[in-house]
Amino acid sequence: MTLRKKTILVLTDGRAGHRSKTQGVLNALAQLSPIEVIWLEVRAPHPILRSLSRWLTRRTDFSSLGWYLKPHQLPSHIDVVVSSGADTLVPNLLLSRHYACPNIINSALKGFAANQFAVALQLGQALSDLNLNVPPNQMSFDHDGQRMLAARQRLAVSSDRCVLTVLIGENTREYQSINPQLLAQIVAWFRQHADAVLLLSSSRRTQLATEDALIQVLPLQADDQVTWVKQGQSCHITDYIYAADWVLCTADSESMLAEVVSAGRLALLPEYAGQGLTAQNQWLTQLTTQGHVFWLNQSLLSMLRLEDLPCGNRQDMQQEL
């Protein structure tokens, strides 16, 4: 008997990290049954309307749905609603009620109760039937190294070359994780000890001033591939991660770090000044204990040996993931 395809309505705010988290959920659903996916873009309303819409969810009121999307775009039938990101919380909840179907959110709940969603995947919140070392995302464990080879072919990087990938977020109140001088010292260390080619990308959140500061100090070479997002450049971040022997990333981005770990790469994190026992801080501690994260600072670099750093496809971590 041919199983009927489940129709999945995906709400997207257009942010790459949120899309990656949503894709991870879709990949899991596709393993359970055939699915048909409908993507629908959500726009962020004015902050006043956002606050009002959250209050209106306490009632059976769908009037605020039009503040987030165009209702005439809605299909006639949906089996599951899926989304990631704070701007999708309200429409996710309202559409689940409208279609009387389950809903899945892969995001912090921002004050909503978890029982308003069929499945709520939150950082630091383990579910009894799920092992969430990392949040679901678009990356898959590179168990045989074929994804590394394919990514290097697309990037025209030799298979015998050492590759350091650097992923840059942005400083926040909680995470002062971008120190241009320390990042430059780490890159220079890999140049000296591994003659590594550099694949670097900033992110949507990276400020232009941060990009400029990094351009001034990073020891870039002609064969490096560098993507400055704030300057209108783009790349396939999945290729940058899969192609890497080592990935250096800043601690501020949950989705970025989750992708690195899910691909089976050791995440090298520059030490930062963190504040408070946030869920992400606790998660970083957990990943460090499990061996997914290796912290770097200036004094450690003076003693570190290349052989101390596991590189490439980490078969030892596949069972934990």
Side-chain angles (χ1 to χ4, degrees):
M1 179 187 299
T2 303
L3 294 175
R4 182 182 70 85
K5 287 186 177 182
K6 299 286 187 182
T7 303
I8 313 298
L9 179 62
V10 175
L11 305 178
T12 175
D13 59 8
R15 298 177 180 177
H18 294 161
R19 189 180 181 94
S20 173
K21 294 170 70 173
T22 297
Q23 189 61 55
V25 175
L26 294 177
N27 292 345
L29 292 175
Q31 294 180 30
L32 301 176
S33 68
I35 63 173
E36 177 183 1
V37 180
I38 300 173
W39 291 83
L40 191 60
E41 185 174 352
V42 169
R43 59 181 181 269
H46 188 279
I48 295 176
L49 294 180
R50 184 189 296 115
S51 298
L52 180 58
S53 69
R54 292 171 66 91
W55 181 83
L56 289 173
T57 59
R58 303 174 187 175
R59 307 165 54 189
T60 307
D61 189 318
F62 299 99
S63 60
S64 64
L65 194 57
W67 301 342
Y68 290 87
L69 49 83
K70 298 177 180 178
H72 71 269
Q73 296 178 327
L74 294 174
S76 59
H77 171 78
I78 288 297
D79 292 300
V80 184
V81 179
V82 176
S83 71
S84 303
D87 287 333
T88 70
L89 283 162
V90 169
N92 182 309
L93 182 57
L94 293 179
L95 288 171
S96 173
R97 293 174 181 173
H98 174 72
Y99 289 107
C101 69
N103 57 342
I104 301 174
I105 186 76
N106 187 6
S107 175
L109 296 184
K110 305 294 185 180
F112 282 97
N115 61 12
Q116 293 179 281
F117 303 89
V119 178
L121 303 171
Q122 304 174 72
L123 187 64
Q125 172 122 4
L127 303 179
S128 58
D129 56 343
L130 289 175
N131 176 20
L132 293 179
N133 281 342
V134 294
N137 61 84
Q138 65 183 338
M139 305 299 284
S140 300
F141 193 89
D142 188 18
H143 62 89
D144 57 3
Q146 290 303 306
R147 288 184 171 88
M148 172 185 276
L149 293 175
R152 290 193 174 199
Q153 288 177 353
R154 287 189 290 268
L155 294 168
V157 175
S158 172
S159 60
D160 59 358
R161 190 76 190 272
C162 290
V163 175
L164 172 66
T165 291
V166 181
L167 305 177
I168 306 296
E170 184 52 84
N171 286 328
T172 66
R173 286 180 300 174
E174 293 83 9
Y175 302 98
Q176 297 296 312
S177 56
I178 299 180
N179 179 334
Q181 295 296 334
L182 177 57
L183 289 172
Q185 290 170 0
I186 294 172
V187 171
W189 186 92
F190 276 96
R191 296 283 201 211
Q192 176 184 352
H193 292 83
D195 188 29
V197 65
L198 186 67
L199 306 176
L200 182 147
S201 179
S202 59
S203 71
R204 172 189 55 82
R205 293 177 297 104
T206 310
Q207 297 300 309
L208 185 59
T210 300
E211 292 187 351
D212 288 341
L214 291 168
I215 291 172
Q216 293 299 317
V217 299
L218 286 175
L220 300 178
Q221 297 180 355
D223 56 350
D224 294 335
Q225 299 186 38
V226 179
T227 302
W228 300 115
V229 174
K230 214 65 174 182
Q231 299 180 29
Q233 300 171 2
S234 63
C235 67
H236 292 290
I237 201 69
T238 55
D239 282 347
Y240 275 27
I241 294 173
Y242 281 132
D245 292 295
W246 307 275
V247 181
L248 174 67
C249 60
T250 55
D252 53 282
S253 174
E254 167 199 330
S255 57
M256 191 164 64
L257 183 55
E259 289 178 346
V260 173
V261 175
S262 294
R265 302 296 185 265
L266 176 68
L268 306 176
L269 269 61
E271 285 195 349
Y272 69 97
Q275 299 177 3
L277 291 176
T278 64
Q280 184 152 334
N281 275 338
Q282 295 176 31
W283 181 54
L284 289 170
T285 300
Q286 176 188 2
L287 291 179
T288 303
T289 302
Q290 294 171 339
H292 298 301
V293 165
F294 192 95
W295 295 91
L296 294 173
N297 57 39
Q298 187 173 8
S299 60
L300 181 60
L301 286 176
S302 64
M303 302 179 293
L304 192 64
R305 301 174 305 168
L306 190 64
E307 53 266 31
D308 294 331
L309 297 175
C311 72
N313 184 29
R314 305 199 57 212
Q315 297 290 352
D316 58 317
M317 288 299 169
Q318 185 171 13
Q319 292 303 316
E320 290 193 25
L321 295 170

